[in-house]
Amino acid sequence: MSVATRVTSLSPSLIRAMSVGAPPEAIDLGLGVPGWALPEPAGRALAECAGREEPLGYGPNGGAPELVSAIADYHLLADDDGADQVMVTAGSQAALTALFLAHVSPGQLVLVPDPGFPAYATLARLAGAVPVPYRLGPRGDLDAEAFTQALDSGDVALAVLNHPGNPTGGGASLDALATVASACRAAGAVLVSDEVYREVYLGRRPASLRDVTDSGVVVSSVSKGWAAPGLRVGWAVGDPGLLQPARLVHNAMTTSAARPSQLAATALLRSSEQVLRQTRRELIQRWSIAQTGPAAVRPVATPAGGFYAWIPVPEWEAHDTFGFCRRVRDEGHVIVVPGTAFGAAGEGYVRVSCGGDPRLLAQGLSRMAPFWEAS
Ligand SMILES: Cc1ncc(COP(=O)(O)O)c(C=O)c1O
């Protein structure tokens, strides 16, 4: 398949498409972004950068050294080879793109969670590969058996984990992570663990792939936990042999992440204790609104992490999740995302983002509830 054909086979994200044509008064519970102000250390770093008299250069391809070292420290990497184990990127999306393009060849397979973040399948197709969905456990948790079965389906170049997961909020146990890591090693598949929601949790801090192995790669960013998606700064940490070719792809794509953003991200990471404490406060406030809101749309379980309530569509509407979400949007004036945006296993579910303004969340849930009540 030519690159042009691969590109035309891509479709726009249904998450964003749900906002197109929405009534102007619609409350947006679709996009998964933190709805509180940019934390102060980032604002201060941006202002300092704007006040400097020296030229604003590109900075090194490998990322600002102070950011590389802040990331290495945050992930507790050893001092001597920390820089080799870090790739600074324009958001975790660019880290994923670079890893896919560096390690996946046309015709190969890529394992993606179903339901899962739609970019994984899109990037697999962009690389000319075939996305192969693997099933998650009942609450969206990593099911190591389902994963290893999918790994047997052929020439798997790369496999993606996402925990806590978008859209389900499901987590991954240390045992499950260890099992999939050793299965990928045996199969020669690159394991990429997307942990952008790891800092956004209510109960116990979620596990990381790095808790069980040095192999594979973890990707993350300041977009969710550090409440700074507009900075567009992310990273990958892990096996230097996997990062080296991906770094070249990222350099070819972007030269490097924006320099003021990298300095702001450094300030955020260096103030992690304070910034992440605020993130948890904001999350607790929003989650208690969701859990005490109208019973019909109350989330059944507390997620391992993330902003999302993953709510079953009423039984009598489960055959047409997309049509149901369009009615909630056009008649109820609330934008939510049909589960099918995240794969076939999302049929019968709706993703509601609880990350935004708490007042609008409460109002949106009240507007939604009648659609869940039988007439
Ligand atoms: C699971 C997951 N991974 C990656 C991303 C990309 O985030 P960013 O590029 O802002 O780091 C998102 C964004 O919503 C996401 O939900």
Side-chain angles (χ1 to χ4, degrees):
M1 204 201 289
S2 73
V3 173
T5 317
R6 283 182 220 159
V7 171
T8 43
S9 74
L10 305 178
S11 41
S13 155
L14 198 50
I15 303 174
R16 289 200 174 240
M18 284 305 285
S19 313
V20 179
E25 62 277 39
I27 292 176
D28 190 351
L29 302 183
L31 266 191
V33 284
W36 54 98
L38 179 69
E40 195 255 324
R44 213 171 340 113
L46 290 173
E48 265 169 35
C49 190
R52 284 186 190 177
E53 292 199 351
E54 70 256 37
L56 182 65
Y58 290 116
N61 278 146
E66 50 273 66
L67 177 56
V68 171
S69 112
I71 294 167
D73 287 350
Y74 185 78
H75 286 276
L76 307 174
L77 304 181
D79 280 347
D80 48 346
D81 55 357
D84 289 358
Q85 297 178 67
V86 175
M87 170 172 74
V88 174
T89 57
S92 65
Q93 183 83 27
L96 291 167
T97 308
L99 286 160
F100 274 62
L101 293 181
H103 294 291
V104 178
S105 300
Q108 288 192 297
L109 308 181
V110 173
L111 298 196
V112 301
D114 184 11
F117 182 49
Y120 307 139
T122 302
L123 291 174
R125 290 193 191 98
L126 189 58
V130 180
V132 176
Y134 65 88
R135 202 168 37 72
L136 298 172
R139 288 197 173 168
D141 289 349
L142 175 62
D143 177 340
E145 203 182 313
F147 179 97
T148 46
Q149 261 169 26
L151 196 56
D152 277 342
S153 31
D155 178 17
V156 176
L158 185 149
V160 190
L161 308 178
N162 176 215
H163 56 106
N166 175 10
T168 63
S173 68
L174 290 171
D175 279 353
L177 288 171
T179 305
V180 304
S182 88
C184 283
R185 259 197 317 273
V190 172
L191 181 58
V192 175
S193 182
D194 179 344
E195 301 181 4
V196 286
Y197 294 103
R198 186 174 181 221
E199 282 71 27
V200 186
Y201 63 92
L202 290 155
R204 276 223 325 262
R205 186 172 191 225
S208 168
L209 179 67
R210 297 194 55 79
D211 294 336
V212 300
T213 180
D214 287 337
S215 67
V217 173
V218 166
V219 302
S220 188
S221 75
V222 291
S223 298
K224 315 291 182 182
W226 288 268
L231 290 181
R232 309 307 303 127
V233 173
W235 57 86
V237 296
D239 181 344
L242 296 176
L243 295 184
Q244 178 50 20
R247 210 179 272 119
L248 296 175
V249 176
H250 188 265
N251 295 349
M253 279 160 54
T254 67
T255 304
S256 63
R259 195 159 163 71
S261 291
Q262 293 190 62
L263 300 178
T266 307
L268 287 174
L269 281 167
R270 291 294 183 201
S271 314
S272 287
E273 209 182 309
Q274 162 206 340
V275 173
L276 299 181
R277 204 178 313 120
Q278 184 195 355
T279 295
R280 277 192 287 284
R281 272 202 306 273
E282 302 283 354
L283 192 67
I284 288 166
Q285 181 195 10
R286 284 160 179 77
W287 205 251
S288 72
I289 290 170
Q291 283 174 323
T292 55
V297 289
R298 219 172 269 167
V300 275
T302 305
F307 303 128
Y308 309 111
W310 184 239
I311 298 177
V313 167
E315 237 169 69
W316 60 93
E317 298 277 6
H319 60 285
D320 183 15
T321 306
F322 180 72
F324 176 69
C325 290
R326 282 290 290 264
R327 282 208 300 116
V328 172
R329 185 191 83 175
D330 296 339
E331 297 167 27
H333 299 172
V334 186
I335 300 169
V336 293
V337 184
T340 40
F342 305 95
E347 185 75 79
Y349 286 86
V350 169
R351 190 192 80 172
V352 178
S353 173
C354 302
D357 180 315
R359 230 173 10 91
L360 292 178
L361 172 62
Q363 227 177 310
L365 292 171
S366 302
R367 286 188 192 178
M368 283 162 55
F371 290 84
W372 267 258
E373 287 153 3
S375 50

